[in-house]
Amino acid sequence: MTESASQSRLVERILDRFLSEFGGTHPAGVFFAPGRVNLIGAHLDYNGGDVLPVTVDLGVYLAIRPRDDDRLCLRSVDQRDGIDARLGELGDSRRPEHGWGAYPFGVFRALAERLPRCGFDAVYGGDLPMASGMSSSAAIEVVTAYALDRLHGLGLGNRELALICHGAETRYVGVQCGIMDQFASALGRAGHALWLHCSDASFEYVEIHAGFDVLVLDTKKTRTLASGAFNQRVAECGEALAILRMHARSLPTLAAYGEADLAHAAPWLAGVHLKRARHVVSEMQRVARGVAALRVGDGPALGAALTSSHRSTAVDYEVSCAELDAITAAACAQPGVFGARLTGAGFGGCAIALIEPGSAERVIPPVRDDFARRFGVEPGFRVLAAGGGPRRVV
Ligand code: GLA
């Protein structure tokens, strides 16, 4: 995998900032980790279900050099001010003044005991829209873990790195997410989707056949309240699971239940608990249909699963918003669009549309005009190229 012209320019900017901030002649290495879109399987990972992410060819770059002391100096090409801390100042959970630095710091905390020398100088830069449902946070975590692993010869496999990054996000950053984003970023394979079984963290690759293109639709609405609302969904699912265990049968995760269990527990399962459980149980069926369709390149069948997933995510899981509903509806109204859904946590950010191969130029203008008229914002568009996992660039 080589960098595009714009990615090479980004790497140049990162290197320039590195040398002007930290001096010397060059960093010890420049690394990359990708973001992802999730084709289908919304909010199933932390419920022990199956998900189907695809790694994108966009992500986060990191120029890094170990230090001989315990100082951690973070810079971003998008921000003038840096974030500096010493290992001893990190604490056990994120500190508000560290901002986005919580992601690298969480990873560093998890790896610190294995590192021979301690601190590092680092400059980050990315071409992934931030906080948009394409896993920019996981890409920051994975590129940090991958770089530390390679520079210090820790010999950790990518699966182990993904688990370490997931631990950093849940324990240090404090978002009770599932394993999907870190696994997708660390284990993505070009031209394939990752069919990840979150009940036991096993996975298989499913080749993406021609038959459709994936168009990413960026509403540009940032998800400001995401982590609070996200953790609330996790808690509600935990409560629904407890009700089902008591009144249906005892299974390990919410995704393991079926429609008959929900019917059995009907007198006790109501309100948000019923809605969340109904989404999880029905989404598992849609993932199964989606994987079968993906295997044979059946765009219309996969698209129908996507659209039905969006409806369930909006109505029963309540993580959509006006912008995501409008952009997916506008896309689905175009000829040659098989289906569309929000991707990522929801509450804003990106959606995806499954479209006839080569039809993006035709689909984009009416969707853009409709969205701009309603919200006064021009959305972003990009045809997905399924890139590979993390790598060393320089
Ligand atoms: C976020 C989380 C993931 C997953 C998705 C929803 O991206 O980080 O773990 O739960 O939302 O599918």
Side-chain angles (χ1 to χ4, degrees):
M1 189 89 197
T2 51
E3 307 333 291
S4 66
S6 65
Q7 288 175 324
S8 299
R9 281 196 298 277
L10 175 58
V11 171
E12 286 302 316
R13 279 176 63 212
I14 293 172
L15 287 170
D16 287 349
R17 178 78 185 268
F18 190 95
L19 297 183
S20 70
E21 286 280 344
F22 303 121
T25 48
H26 51 76
V30 179
F31 298 86
F32 169 83
R36 61 100 190 93
V37 296
N38 184 23
L39 284 182
I40 194 157
H43 290 268
L44 288 189
D45 55 354
Y46 55 84
N47 282 306
D50 292 350
V51 293
L52 195 62
V54 179
T55 326
V56 296
D57 61 343
L58 307 175
V60 174
Y61 291 84
L62 162 63
I64 185 167
R65 190 167 58 203
R67 298 176 59 101
D68 288 325
D69 58 18
D70 67 345
R71 285 188 69 201
L72 306 162
C73 302
L74 309 181
R75 304 289 180 271
S76 156
V77 286
D78 299 319
Q79 288 170 18
R80 204 177 42 115
D81 294 335
I83 304 167
D84 292 355
R86 290 182 182 279
L87 174 59
E89 295 164 3
L90 296 186
D92 291 331
S93 58
R94 79 179 299 165
R95 291 175 52 169
E97 68 270 26
H98 289 160
W100 65 270
Y103 299 107
F105 287 165
V107 170
F108 184 75
R109 277 281 275 120
L111 287 174
E113 279 174 10
R114 310 181 204 220
L115 301 177
R117 275 178 296 159
C118 245
F120 57 79
D121 293 328
V123 178
Y124 291 80
D127 54 2
L128 203 57
M130 293 288 141
S132 66
M134 291 179 75
S135 274
S136 48
S137 345
I140 295 175
E141 291 159 0
V142 170
V143 78
T144 306
Y146 186 82
L148 291 172
D149 175 73
R150 293 304 187 274
L151 289 182
H152 292 290
L154 302 181
L156 300 167
N158 284 11
R159 186 176 185 281
E160 200 169 345
L161 292 178
L163 289 169
I164 287 167
C165 292
H166 176 249
E169 176 113 18
T170 49
R171 287 194 284 274
Y172 190 82
V173 179
V175 177
Q176 299 310 313
C177 64
I179 60 174
M180 171 172 72
D181 302 349
Q182 292 79 15
F183 268 66
S185 181
L187 291 151
R189 180 182 286 179
H192 291 75
L194 184 77
W195 186 19
L196 177 61
H197 313 294
C198 302
S199 53
D200 60 2
S202 63
F203 56 87
E204 14 189 323
Y205 292 101
V206 183
E207 195 178 346
I208 302 175
H209 295 286
F212 55 82
D213 286 343
V214 178
L215 180 64
V216 181
L217 318 161
D218 184 359
T219 66
K220 308 245 175 98
K221 179 177 179 189
T222 48
R223 307 164 308 162
T224 38
L225 293 174
S227 68
F230 186 92
N231 285 348
Q232 187 191 345
R233 294 298 178 285
V234 179
E236 289 162 355
C237 286
E239 291 157 10
L241 175 61
I243 295 169
L244 281 162
R245 279 188 177 148
M246 201 176 302
H247 298 291
R249 50 189 173 137
S250 187
L251 295 177
T253 63
L254 196 51
Y257 287 89
E259 278 167 8
D261 297 303
L262 304 196
H264 196 80
W268 299 276
L269 196 64
V272 291
H273 298 126
L274 173 61
K275 291 171 107 180
R276 308 306 183 241
R278 196 161 55 198
H279 166 72
V280 168
V281 167
S282 60
E283 187 75 351
M284 280 296 278
Q285 297 165 4
R286 286 185 287 270
V287 174
R289 289 207 299 276
V291 170
L294 182 63
R295 284 196 192 286
V296 295
D298 184 344
L302 182 55
L306 258 65
T307 302
S308 148
S309 166
H310 183 84
R311 203 173 307 119
S312 174
T313 322
V315 174
D316 274 347
Y317 219 71
E318 298 176 285
V319 292
S320 189
C321 59
E323 289 84 348
L324 284 166
D325 288 346
I327 207 161
T328 50
C332 286
Q334 303 311 313
V337 174
F338 300 130
R341 65 174 287 265
L342 65 82
T343 190
F347 311 105
C350 292
I352 52 171
L354 212 68
I355 62 176
E356 276 173 4
S359 66
E361 292 311 310
R362 184 165 47 76
V363 169
I364 290 172
V367 176
R368 184 184 49 221
D369 295 348
D370 178 86
F371 191 87
R373 197 172 53 247
R374 283 176 202 228
F375 299 101
V377 174
E378 185 139 317
F381 297 92
R382 188 180 176 95
V383 177
L384 176 87
R391 60 181 185 270
R392 185 175 191 139
V393 178
V394 177

